Amino acid sequence: MKEKEAMLFLGFLGKAVLMMTVISIFGWNGVKGHRVLLDTDMGTDDIFALLYLLKLNPSQIDLQAVTISTNAWSDAGHAVNQVYDILYMMGRDDIAVGVGGEGGILPDSTILPNVGGYLPMIDQGNGTAGYCRYRQTIPVGHGGRLDIDSNYGFRKSFLPQGMRTYSPLRQPTAQKVMIETISAGPTVVFLIGSLTNFALFLLSNPHLKKNVEHIYIMGGGIRSKNPKGCCPDNASPSCQPQQCGDHGNLFTDFSSNPYAEFNIFMDPFAAYQVIYSDIPITIVPLDATNTILVNKNFLETFEKNQHTYEAQYCFKSLKIIRDTWFDDQFYRSYFMWDSFMSGISASIMRKQHNHQGENEFAEMEYINVTVVTSNKPYGVSDGSNPFFDGSKTPRFNLERNGVHSGHVQTRLRDPFCIVKNGRGRCQDGYTKGVNKPGGVPVLVAVRAKPNRNASSILDREFSVSFLDVLNQAEHTGRFNFTTQFPYYREAFYKPDLRGKNFGKNLVFDMDMSAGDFLSLFYLLKLPVEDINLKAIIVSPTGWANAATIDCVYDLLHMMGRDDIPVGLGDGFAMNQSDTVFSAVGDCRYSKVIPQGSGGYLDSDTLYGLARSLPRSPRRIY
Ligand SMILES: *[C@@H]1O[C@H](CO)[C@@H](O)[C@H](O)[C@H]1NC(C)=O
Ligand SMILES: *[C@@H]1O[C@H](CO)[C@@H](O)[C@H](O)[C@H]1NC(C)=O
Ligand SMILES: *[C@@H]1O[C@H](CO)[C@@H](O)[C@H](O)[C@H]1NC(C)=O
Ligand SMILES: *[C@@H]1O[C@H](CO)[C@@H](O)[C@H](O)[C@H]1NC(C)=O
Ligand SMILES: *[C@@H]1O[C@H](CO)[C@@H](O)[C@H](O)[C@H]1NC(C)=O
C-alpha cells in the first residue's frame, strides 16, 4: 500500500510537472503576439510610432528589436541613445537595439557583414564615409537633423536615463540584430525610415527570407497629391503653386523631383530590393498619410489628455514642433506618418488570414507598384550612376540597359532634372503604380477612415485610437527624468569672479571632436588671471553633428560655468549651402569624415561618455 501510494503520488507529481511544462510552453506562446522588428530613423513621428507599439498588448504586437536607419533624418549616436532611453522609460530593456556597423560593399558587389547602412547602396563602398547624394535633401540644422537628434532640445530634459547606452565596440550592429531576431522565428518587419538596412539584410541573408512573414512600410507616394504649397482660392495672380498636387514630399528639392517621398528617396535601390523580395508587403504611403492631419482640434484634445509619461512626451514634442514651425501652416502641413502606419499594421494583424488588410483605420487597395531607381533613357553612361560607370561589369549583375541603368539624381537641383519653366523630371524614389507587367502587387493604404463617432471633434478614427492607446494605464512608462531624479534641479552655476584680475580674453572655436573637449577642459582649468574664456563657438561642419552642442552645455555645467555663452555656427562649409533653400546643401568636404566608429558616431556620443555628464538646463531652444 505504502509503495502504491508513493507511486501514485509520484505519478501525480509527474503529471503536474508535465502540465506545468505544457502551460509554460503553450501559455507563453499563446499570449505572445506577432514578433516584430522595427527599423526606424527616430524622427519625432517615429517616436510616436514606437510608443504606440509599446503600449499595445504584447499578446498582439511583441516588439523584439529596434534597428536604426542611419541614412535618413537622424544621426546614429543621438538616435541610438534616444531609443535606449525611451525603452528604459517604458520598462523594456529586454528589446534588442542595433545601430551602425563598419562593413562595406566590395567592388565585386560582395556585401561584407555588418554594413552600417550610413550610405545609400549606390554609394556604399569600403567604409562609412561617403557622399550625401540623396541625404542632402534633409536639412542639417533647425527643421532637420539638429532638431531630430535632440528631439527639439527637449529629449534631454524629459527622458529618464537607464543602464543601456551606446558604447564603442560593444554596440550590436543593425545587421547583427536583424539576423538574430529574424533567425529566431517568424517575424513581421516594420520599416519607417530609409530601406537601406533591410535591403542589405535581405541580399546578405537570402536563407532567412522565409522567416519574414510580412513587411509594413511607411513611405512613397503612388497616387498622392501633395496638399502643401497650393495657392489659396483668394490668392493673387502672382501666387506660384509649389508642391501642390505632387506625388512626393521632397519639400527642399521639389523643383527637380516632384515624385519622391523621403523614406524611399533616401535609397531607391534598397527600396527596389525590398519591394521585389517576394515577401508580402503592405505600404502606407503619402496617399493615406496626407489624409490624416495633426490639426488644431487634435492638438487641443491631446493637450487635455496627457495621463501618462509617454503621452506627455509625445504632446510636448508636437507642441515644440508647432511652436517652431517655419510658417503659420503647421496645422495644414503636419501629418501622422509613422504612427499611422503602426496603427494600421497592428489593426490588420489583429485579424488572422487578413489578406485584404481589413482594419479600423484606413481603406486598403491592391496596387501593382514599382520603384524608380534611375531616369530614362536607360543605358546612358553620363557619370551619374556608380552601378555602371567606370567599371567593365555592372555592379550587382545589373542589366546594361535595364531600369537601374539611367541617370541617377546626383544632387540638389541636378541640372538633368530641372526643366525650364516646368516640373522637375527626375523620378528617383518614386513608388509608381504600373498597369503593365513588371510591378509587384502591394497592399496600399489609400486613405484614412473618418471617425465613426460623429459627435467627436476628432475627424479620423486613428486619431482617437492614438490618444486612447497612449493614455491607457497598461504598459505605461515608469517615470520621466524629474521623477527618476527627484533631487535634480534646473539650476545655472556661475563662478563668483568678483575682485579677480582677468587675463587674456579668449574665444574658443571648436568642432566638438573628442580632442576639442580635452582642450576645453584644459582652458577651463587655467586661472582666469591668465586666460579668461569669454565665449565658445561651435562649428558643426567638422567631426560632430550640430546636436552635440548639448555635450558642450553639459560639460560647462559640470565645471560650474553656465555663464559662458555658446554659439552654434553655420551648418555648411563655405558655398556648400543651397542657393534656393539654404537649410540644405552639399557635403563636398564633410563627406570624408567617417559616419561610424572613430567618426560622427563616436564624437556625437563622446565615445559613449557624454551620457555621464550632468544635464545642463541649457538646450537648443
Ligand atoms: C577596406 O578598408 C580596410 C581599412 O581601410 C582595408 O584594410 C581593406 O583592405 C579594404 N578592403 C578593400 C577590399 O578595399
Ligand atoms: C515629469 O512628470 C511630472 C509628473 O507628471 C511632471 O510634473 C513634470 O513636468 C515632468 N517633467 C518634464 C520635464 O516634463
Ligand atoms: C498586378 O499584376 C498582376 C500580374 O503581374 C496581374 O495579374 C494583376 O491583375 C495586377 N493587379 C492590378 C490591381 O493591376
Ligand atoms: C463620441 O464623442 C463624444 C465627444 O467626444 C463622447 O462624449 C462620446 O462618448 C463618444 N461616443 C462614443 C461611442 O465613443
Ligand atoms: C563662393 O561663390 C562665389 C560665387 O558663387 C564666389 O565668388 C566665391 O569665390 C566662392 N567662395 C569660395 C570660398 O569658394
Side-chain angles (χ1 to χ4, degrees):
M1 276 303 271
K2 282 256 145 78
E3 230 180 82
K4 204 173 170 188
E5 262 175 31
M7 291 278 286
L8 270 173
F9 178 67
L10 276 177
F12 169 74
L13 246 187
K15 267 184 206 148
V17 168
L18 188 74
M19 286 278 285
M20 274 159 69
T21 322
V22 168
I23 288 170
S24 63
I25 293 173
F26 288 94
W28 187 251
N29 282 341
V31 298
K32 285 282 166 178
H34 293 272
R35 305 171 76 258
V36 169
L37 179 142
L38 174 73
D39 190 64
T40 163
D41 58 3
M42 286 313 277
T44 308
D45 67 314
D46 299 60
I47 297 172
F48 302 164
L50 172 61
L51 286 169
Y52 184 90
L53 293 172
L54 289 170
K55 297 286 293 181
L56 297 176
N57 199 321
S59 68
Q60 211 197 93
I61 298 286
D62 178 17
L63 189 60
Q64 292 279 320
V66 176
T67 52
I68 292 167
S69 162
T70 47
N71 172 29
W73 282 80
S74 63
D75 295 297
H78 295 291
V80 65
N81 279 337
Q82 175 153 227
V83 174
Y84 280 136
D85 290 343
I86 287 180
L87 292 176
Y88 179 69
M89 171 169 92
M90 302 303 287
R92 295 303 304 272
D93 282 344
D94 58 309
I95 294 175
V97 175
V99 71
E102 297 298 305
I105 302 181
L106 301 183
D108 70 359
S109 307
T110 308
I111 300 176
L112 299 177
N114 292 316
V115 183
Y118 293 99
L119 301 164
M121 287 184 69
I122 194 167
D123 289 323
Q124 177 66 59
N126 178 22
T128 65
Y131 188 48
C132 54
R133 177 188 297 264
Y134 304 116
R135 209 185 185 201
Q136 58 186 290
T137 51
I138 296 179
V140 297
H142 285 299
R145 278 153 50 199
L146 168 60
D147 287 342
I148 301 297
D149 283 344
S150 61
N151 198 22
Y152 296 78
F154 159 66
R155 153 193 159 200
K156 222 180 53 166
S157 76
F158 190 95
L159 291 180
Q161 182 159 338
M163 298 300 287
R164 286 201 295 177
T165 168
Y166 167 76
S167 172
L169 305 178
R170 292 201 208 114
Q171 173 60 47
T173 65
Q175 291 297 318
K176 179 169 187 278
V177 167
M178 283 185 165
I179 291 170
E180 285 178 0
T181 308
I182 293 167
S183 54
T187 308
V188 175
V189 173
F190 285 7
L191 304 175
I192 58 177
S194 66
L195 274 53
T196 310
N197 283 337
F198 195 62
L200 290 166
F201 165 83
L202 287 175
L203 290 173
S204 326
N205 305 279
H207 61 291
L208 289 178
K209 212 161 82 172
K210 62 177 191 309
N211 275 6
V212 181
E213 277 185 83
H214 201 107
I215 302 170
Y216 291 89
I217 299 170
M218 190 279 127
I222 300 164
R223 301 168 184 159
S224 42
K225 289 193 168 60
N226 202 318
K228 281 161 71 173
C230 298
C231 292
D233 295 337
N234 58 355
S236 69
S238 65
C239 176
Q240 289 279 334
Q242 297 199 306
Q243 285 159 287
C244 183
D246 288 355
H247 292 300
N249 71 350
L250 293 183
F251 64 93
T252 54
D253 195 23
F254 61 88
S255 61
S256 18
N257 186 331
Y259 299 92
E261 177 277 341
F262 277 102
N263 282 351
I264 307 294
F265 184 71
M266 284 304 109
D267 198 341
F269 187 72
Y272 186 95
Q273 300 304 324
V274 173
I275 294 278
Y276 284 88
S277 65
D278 281 336
I279 299 168
I281 290 177
T282 299
I283 169 163
V284 178
L286 298 175
D287 308 42
T289 59
N290 277 345
T291 64
I292 181 162
L293 271 170
V294 170
N295 57 24
K296 200 154 187 263
N297 285 342
F298 176 78
L299 212 66
E300 282 173 6
T301 313
F302 201 174
E303 185 157 30
K304 289 180 221 137
N305 288 284
Q306 302 180 57
H307 307 303
T308 60
Y309 294 115
E310 51 278 16
Q312 271 181 33
Y313 192 58
C314 295
F315 173 76
K316 291 187 177 190
S317 306
L318 266 181
K319 186 171 178 306
I320 293 183
I321 295 175
R322 185 201 57 192
D323 294 347
T324 59
W325 201 248
F326 55 88
D327 60 19
D328 56 0
Q329 298 293 305
F330 171 83
Y331 290 123
R332 300 175 64 180
S333 11
Y334 200 88
F335 301 96
M336 296 182 95
W337 294 284
D338 299 340
S339 57
F340 191 37
M341 192 224 80
S342 62
I344 295 171
S345 317
S347 180
I348 292 176
M349 286 157 69
R350 270 196 278 276
K351 204 172 146 194
Q352 289 207 323
H353 312 296
N354 187 356
H355 299 299
Q356 297 306 316
E358 265 171 54
N359 71 89
E360 300 154 81
F361 307 127
E363 318 265 2
M364 309 297 291
E365 198 179 306
Y366 273 99
I367 302 179
N368 286 344
V369 168
T370 189
V371 179
V372 179
T373 61
S374 75
N375 298 281
K376 289 176 183 165
Y378 296 143
V380 291
S381 259
D382 67 358
S384 69
N385 189 338
F387 284 140
F388 293 87
D389 298 329
S391 62
K392 282 215 178 64
T393 45
R395 302 185 86 188
F396 297 106
N397 289 323
L398 300 180
E399 232 180 284
R400 272 254 171 247
N401 296 304
V403 293
H404 305 298
S405 68
H407 178 92
V408 178
Q409 193 168 341
T410 51
R411 57 185 171 87
L412 290 163
R413 289 168 245 295
D414 178 346
F416 176 92
C417 308
I418 304 281
V419 178
K420 220 171 173 215
N421 305 321
R423 318 299 278 164
R425 66 165 163 144
C426 279
Q427 303 195 346
D428 309 58
Y430 177 27
T431 47
K432 186 176 178 180
V434 284
N435 305 323
K436 45 184 200 288
V440 180
V442 167
L443 192 56
V444 177
V446 292
R447 80 187 67 82
K449 288 188 179 171
N451 187 356
R452 280 169 300 184
N453 180 353
S455 46
S456 162
I457 56 166
L458 300 177
D459 59 352
R460 297 289 177 258
E461 193 67 26
F462 180 67
S463 314
V464 182
S465 163
F466 182 75
L467 296 185
D468 284 353
V469 168
L470 279 188
N471 279 298
Q472 77 200 6
E474 296 86 45
H475 313 292
T476 196
R478 297 179 297 171
F479 34 56
N480 62 18
F481 185 75
T482 42
T483 50
Q484 182 188 16
F485 300 106
Y487 296 105
Y488 173 84
R489 291 285 169 270
E490 289 212 333
F492 290 87
Y493 297 103
K494 298 175 183 179
D496 183 3
L497 299 173
R498 273 173 299 182
K500 300 253 184 186
N501 292 318
F502 293 111
K504 277 214 156 52
N505 288 332
L506 181 76
V507 173
F508 186 51
D509 187 348
M510 64 186 285
D511 74 354
M512 306 187 285
S513 60
D516 296 34
F517 283 100
L518 295 187
S519 316
L520 179 56
F521 268 127
Y522 183 85
L523 294 172
L524 291 168
K525 297 289 289 180
L526 295 175
V528 291
E529 288 85 350
D530 293 342
I531 292 288
N532 179 28
L533 186 55
K534 292 284 279 190
I536 295 173
I537 307 172
V538 167
S539 162
T541 55
W543 279 80
N545 289 293
T548 308
I549 194 171
D550 273 345
C551 293
V552 180
Y553 287 137
D554 290 352
L555 188 150
L556 291 174
H557 189 60
M558 166 173 142
M559 302 300 286
R561 293 304 303 271
D562 289 325
D563 58 312
I564 299 177
V566 180
L568 182 60
D570 201 337
F572 293 100
M574 279 266 269
N575 278 12
Q576 294 301 293
S577 68
D578 186 45
T579 45
V580 180
F581 198 110
S582 63
V584 290
D586 209 340
C587 58
R588 182 194 292 190
Y589 309 113
S590 56
K591 71 180 180 197
V592 300
I593 299 177
Q595 299 198 48
S597 296
Y600 289 112
L601 172 59
D602 281 327
S603 39
D604 283 345
T605 56
L606 255 182
Y607 290 81
L609 295 173
R611 295 229 324 168
S612 348
L613 294 169
R615 292 198 200 191
S616 162
R618 282 203 281 178
R619 286 180 279 278
I620 61 165
Y621 283 108

mmCIF file with all atom_site columns, all heavy atoms in Angstrom, residues 154 157-158 309 312 316 480-483, ligand 2:
data_model
loop_
_atom_site.group_PDB
_atom_site.id
_atom_site.type_symbol
_atom_site.label_atom_id
_atom_site.label_alt_id
_atom_site.label_comp_id
_atom_site.label_asym_id
_atom_site.label_entity_id
_atom_site.label_seq_id
_atom_site.pdbx_PDB_ins_code
_atom_site.Cartn_x
_atom_site.Cartn_y
_atom_site.Cartn_z
_atom_site.occupancy
_atom_site.B_iso_or_equiv
_atom_site.pdbx_formal_charge
_atom_site.auth_seq_id
_atom_site.auth_comp_id
_atom_site.auth_asym_id
_atom_site.auth_atom_id
_atom_site.pdbx_PDB_model_num
ATOM   1   N N   . PHE A 1 154 ? 14.543 68.800 -26.340 1.00 0.00 ? 154 PHE A N   1
ATOM   2   C CA  . PHE A 1 154 ? 13.645 68.543 -25.250 1.00 0.00 ? 154 PHE A CA  1
ATOM   3   C C   . PHE A 1 154 ? 13.846 67.139 -24.670 1.00 0.00 ? 154 PHE A C   1
ATOM   4   O O   . PHE A 1 154 ? 13.568 66.884 -23.503 1.00 0.00 ? 154 PHE A O   1
ATOM   5   C CB  . PHE A 1 154 ? 12.243 68.761 -25.825 1.00 0.00 ? 154 PHE A CB  1
ATOM   6   C CG  . PHE A 1 154 ? 11.132 68.121 -25.109 1.00 0.00 ? 154 PHE A CG  1
ATOM   7   C CD1 . PHE A 1 154 ? 10.820 68.530 -23.845 1.00 0.00 ? 154 PHE A CD1 1
ATOM   8   C CD2 . PHE A 1 154 ? 10.410 67.117 -25.697 1.00 0.00 ? 154 PHE A CD2 1
ATOM   9   C CE1 . PHE A 1 154 ? 9.781  67.936 -23.166 1.00 0.00 ? 154 PHE A CE1 1
ATOM   10  C CE2 . PHE A 1 154 ? 9.381  66.526 -25.025 1.00 0.00 ? 154 PHE A CE2 1
ATOM   11  C CZ  . PHE A 1 154 ? 9.065  66.933 -23.761 1.00 0.00 ? 154 PHE A CZ  1
ATOM   12  N N   . SER A 1 157 ? 15.720 66.858 -21.373 1.00 0.00 ? 157 SER A N   1
ATOM   13  C CA  . SER A 1 157 ? 15.064 67.325 -20.154 1.00 0.00 ? 157 SER A CA  1
ATOM   14  C C   . SER A 1 157 ? 13.990 66.347 -19.697 1.00 0.00 ? 157 SER A C   1
ATOM   15  O O   . SER A 1 157 ? 13.529 66.417 -18.570 1.00 0.00 ? 157 SER A O   1
ATOM   16  C CB  . SER A 1 157 ? 14.419 68.689 -20.399 1.00 0.00 ? 157 SER A CB  1
ATOM   17  O OG  . SER A 1 157 ? 13.231 68.540 -21.153 1.00 0.00 ? 157 SER A OG  1
ATOM   18  N N   . PHE A 1 158 ? 13.606 65.432 -20.545 1.00 0.00 ? 158 PHE A N   1
ATOM   19  C CA  . PHE A 1 158 ? 12.444 64.611 -20.211 1.00 0.00 ? 158 PHE A CA  1
ATOM   20  C C   . PHE A 1 158 ? 12.750 63.129 -19.977 1.00 0.00 ? 158 PHE A C   1
ATOM   21  O O   . PHE A 1 158 ? 12.289 62.550 -18.994 1.00 0.00 ? 158 PHE A O   1
ATOM   22  C CB  . PHE A 1 158 ? 11.391 64.732 -21.321 1.00 0.00 ? 158 PHE A CB  1
ATOM   23  C CG  . PHE A 1 158 ? 10.074 64.122 -20.940 1.00 0.00 ? 158 PHE A CG  1
ATOM   24  C CD1 . PHE A 1 158 ? 9.062  64.898 -20.404 1.00 0.00 ? 158 PHE A CD1 1
ATOM   25  C CD2 . PHE A 1 158 ? 9.859  62.755 -21.080 1.00 0.00 ? 158 PHE A CD2 1
ATOM   26  C CE1 . PHE A 1 158 ? 7.858  64.334 -20.020 1.00 0.00 ? 158 PHE A CE1 1
ATOM   27  C CE2 . PHE A 1 158 ? 8.652  62.180 -20.701 1.00 0.00 ? 158 PHE A CE2 1
ATOM   28  C CZ  . PHE A 1 158 ? 7.651  62.979 -20.177 1.00 0.00 ? 158 PHE A CZ  1
ATOM   29  N N   . TYR A 1 309 ? 3.370  59.300 -18.963 1.00 0.00 ? 309 TYR A N   1
ATOM   30  C CA  . TYR A 1 309 ? 4.609  59.984 -19.373 1.00 0.00 ? 309 TYR A CA  1
ATOM   31  C C   . TYR A 1 309 ? 4.762  59.964 -20.882 1.00 0.00 ? 309 TYR A C   1
ATOM   32  O O   . TYR A 1 309 ? 5.227  60.925 -21.492 1.00 0.00 ? 309 TYR A O   1
ATOM   33  C CB  . TYR A 1 309 ? 5.819  59.330 -18.709 1.00 0.00 ? 309 TYR A CB  1
ATOM   34  C CG  . TYR A 1 309 ? 5.819  59.502 -17.215 1.00 0.00 ? 309 TYR A CG  1
ATOM   35  C CD1 . TYR A 1 309 ? 5.689  58.414 -16.357 1.00 0.00 ? 309 TYR A CD1 1
ATOM   36  C CD2 . TYR A 1 309 ? 5.934  60.778 -16.663 1.00 0.00 ? 309 TYR A CD2 1
ATOM   37  C CE1 . TYR A 1 309 ? 5.678  58.585 -14.987 1.00 0.00 ? 309 TYR A CE1 1
ATOM   38  C CE2 . TYR A 1 309 ? 5.923  60.958 -15.296 1.00 0.00 ? 309 TYR A CE2 1
ATOM   39  C CZ  . TYR A 1 309 ? 5.789  59.859 -14.455 1.00 0.00 ? 309 TYR A CZ  1
ATOM   40  O OH  . TYR A 1 309 ? 5.772  60.042 -13.111 1.00 0.00 ? 309 TYR A OH  1
ATOM   41  N N   . GLN A 1 312 ? 2.687  62.542 -22.416 1.00 0.00 ? 312 GLN A N   1
ATOM   42  C CA  . GLN A 1 312 ? 3.330  63.844 -22.188 1.00 0.00 ? 312 GLN A CA  1
ATOM   43  C C   . GLN A 1 312 ? 4.470  64.079 -23.159 1.00 0.00 ? 312 GLN A C   1
ATOM   44  O O   . GLN A 1 312 ? 4.622  65.158 -23.719 1.00 0.00 ? 312 GLN A O   1
ATOM   45  C CB  . GLN A 1 312 ? 3.933  63.888 -20.781 1.00 0.00 ? 312 GLN A CB  1
ATOM   46  C CG  . GLN A 1 312 ? 3.027  64.373 -19.705 1.00 0.00 ? 312 GLN A CG  1
ATOM   47  C CD  . GLN A 1 312 ? 3.786  64.386 -18.358 1.00 0.00 ? 312 GLN A CD  1
ATOM   48  O OE1 . GLN A 1 312 ? 4.980  64.621 -18.289 1.00 0.00 ? 312 GLN A OE1 1
ATOM   49  N NE2 . GLN A 1 312 ? 3.062  64.100 -17.295 1.00 0.00 ? 312 GLN A NE2 1
ATOM   50  N N   . LYS A 1 316 ? 4.335  67.090 -25.799 1.00 0.00 ? 316 LYS A N   1
ATOM   51  C CA  . LYS A 1 316 ? 5.300  68.188 -25.712 1.00 0.00 ? 316 LYS A CA  1
ATOM   52  C C   . LYS A 1 316 ? 6.155  68.258 -26.971 1.00 0.00 ? 316 LYS A C   1
ATOM   53  O O   . LYS A 1 316 ? 6.532  69.349 -27.402 1.00 0.00 ? 316 LYS A O   1
ATOM   54  C CB  . LYS A 1 316 ? 6.174  68.028 -24.470 1.00 0.00 ? 316 LYS A CB  1
ATOM   55  C CG  . LYS A 1 316 ? 5.379  68.247 -23.191 1.00 0.00 ? 316 LYS A CG  1
ATOM   56  C CD  . LYS A 1 316 ? 6.277  68.253 -21.975 1.00 0.00 ? 316 LYS A CD  1
ATOM   57  C CE  . LYS A 1 316 ? 5.454  68.546 -20.732 1.00 0.00 ? 316 LYS A CE  1
ATOM   58  N NZ  . LYS A 1 316 ? 6.282  68.809 -19.550 1.00 0.00 ? 316 LYS A NZ  1
ATOM   59  N N   . ASN A 1 480 ? 9.675  59.937 -15.757 1.00 0.00 ? 480 ASN A N   1
ATOM   60  C CA  . ASN A 1 480 ? 10.466 60.795 -16.634 1.00 0.00 ? 480 ASN A CA  1
ATOM   61  C C   . ASN A 1 480 ? 11.709 61.204 -15.858 1.00 0.00 ? 480 ASN A C   1
ATOM   62  O O   . ASN A 1 480 ? 11.946 60.736 -14.741 1.00 0.00 ? 480 ASN A O   1
ATOM   63  C CB  . ASN A 1 480 ? 9.636  61.992 -17.131 1.00 0.00 ? 480 ASN A CB  1
ATOM   64  C CG  . ASN A 1 480 ? 9.172  62.898 -16.002 1.00 0.00 ? 480 ASN A CG  1
ATOM   65  O OD1 . ASN A 1 480 ? 9.704  62.862 -14.893 1.00 0.00 ? 480 ASN A OD1 1
ATOM   66  N ND2 . ASN A 1 480 ? 8.174  63.713 -16.277 1.00 0.00 ? 480 ASN A ND2 1
ATOM   67  N N   . PHE A 1 481 ? 12.504 62.071 -16.429 1.00 0.00 ? 481 PHE A N   1
ATOM   68  C CA  . PHE A 1 481 ? 13.775 62.409 -15.788 1.00 0.00 ? 481 PHE A CA  1
ATOM   69  C C   . PHE A 1 481 ? 13.581 63.020 -14.401 1.00 0.00 ? 481 PHE A C   1
ATOM   70  O O   . PHE A 1 481 ? 14.252 62.640 -13.437 1.00 0.00 ? 481 PHE A O   1
ATOM   71  C CB  . PHE A 1 481 ? 14.560 63.366 -16.684 1.00 0.00 ? 481 PHE A CB  1
ATOM   72  C CG  . PHE A 1 481 ? 15.931 63.673 -16.174 1.00 0.00 ? 481 PHE A CG  1
ATOM   73  C CD1 . PHE A 1 481 ? 16.935 62.730 -16.283 1.00 0.00 ? 481 PHE A CD1 1
ATOM   74  C CD2 . PHE A 1 481 ? 16.211 64.889 -15.569 1.00 0.00 ? 481 PHE A CD2 1
ATOM   75  C CE1 . PHE A 1 481 ? 18.209 62.994 -15.803 1.00 0.00 ? 481 PHE A CE1 1
ATOM   76  C CE2 . PHE A 1 481 ? 17.481 65.161 -15.087 1.00 0.00 ? 481 PHE A CE2 1
ATOM   77  C CZ  . PHE A 1 481 ? 18.478 64.219 -15.207 1.00 0.00 ? 481 PHE A CZ  1
ATOM   78  N N   . THR A 1 482 ? 12.608 63.933 -14.284 1.00 0.00 ? 482 THR A N   1
ATOM   79  C CA  . THR A 1 482 ? 12.461 64.619 -12.989 1.00 0.00 ? 482 THR A CA  1
ATOM   80  C C   . THR A 1 482 ? 11.884 63.706 -11.918 1.00 0.00 ? 482 THR A C   1
ATOM   81  O O   . THR A 1 482 ? 12.183 63.878 -10.743 1.00 0.00 ? 482 THR A O   1
ATOM   82  C CB  . THR A 1 482 ? 11.588 65.888 -13.111 1.00 0.00 ? 482 THR A CB  1
ATOM   83  O OG1 . THR A 1 482 ? 10.477 65.607 -13.953 1.00 0.00 ? 482 THR A OG1 1
ATOM   84  C CG2 . THR A 1 482 ? 12.361 67.042 -13.668 1.00 0.00 ? 482 THR A CG2 1
ATOM   85  N N   . THR A 1 483 ? 11.086 62.720 -12.306 1.00 0.00 ? 483 THR A N   1
ATOM   86  C CA  . THR A 1 483 ? 10.595 61.810 -11.271 1.00 0.00 ? 483 THR A CA  1
ATOM   87  C C   . THR A 1 483 ? 11.622 60.712 -10.984 1.00 0.00 ? 483 THR A C   1
ATOM   88  O O   . THR A 1 483 ? 11.649 60.150 -9.899  1.00 0.00 ? 483 THR A O   1
ATOM   89  C CB  . THR A 1 483 ? 9.219  61.217 -11.632 1.00 0.00 ? 483 THR A CB  1
ATOM   90  O OG1 . THR A 1 483 ? 9.278  60.687 -12.959 1.00 0.00 ? 483 THR A OG1 1
ATOM   91  C CG2 . THR A 1 483 ? 8.124  62.256 -11.557 1.00 0.00 ? 483 THR A CG2 1
HETATM 92  C C1  . LIG B 2 .   ? 7.716  64.679 -15.342 1.00 0.00 ? 2   LIG B C1  1
HETATM 93  O O1  . LIG B 2 .   ? 6.482  64.229 -14.833 1.00 0.00 ? 2   LIG B O1  1
HETATM 94  C C2  . LIG B 2 .   ? 5.960  65.032 -13.790 1.00 0.00 ? 2   LIG B C2  1
HETATM 95  C C3  . LIG B 2 .   ? 4.730  64.320 -13.260 1.00 0.00 ? 2   LIG B C3  1
HETATM 96  O O2  . LIG B 2 .   ? 3.833  64.033 -14.301 1.00 0.00 ? 2   LIG B O2  1
HETATM 97  C C4  . LIG B 2 .   ? 5.670  66.417 -14.324 1.00 0.00 ? 2   LIG B C4  1
HETATM 98  O O3  . LIG B 2 .   ? 5.179  67.241 -13.274 1.00 0.00 ? 2   LIG B O3  1
HETATM 99  C C5  . LIG B 2 .   ? 6.951  67.012 -14.896 1.00 0.00 ? 2   LIG B C5  1
HETATM 100 O O4  . LIG B 2 .   ? 6.658  68.260 -15.503 1.00 0.00 ? 2   LIG B O4  1
HETATM 101 C C6  . LIG B 2 .   ? 7.550  66.076 -15.923 1.00 0.00 ? 2   LIG B C6  1
HETATM 102 N N1  . LIG B 2 .   ? 8.839  66.566 -16.309 1.00 0.00 ? 2   LIG B N1  1
HETATM 103 C C7  . LIG B 2 .   ? 9.051  67.142 -17.511 1.00 0.00 ? 2   LIG B C7  1
HETATM 104 C C8  . LIG B 2 .   ? 10.442 67.571 -17.791 1.00 0.00 ? 2   LIG B C8  1
HETATM 105 O O5  . LIG B 2 .   ? 8.177  67.294 -18.339 1.00 0.00 ? 2   LIG B O5  1
#
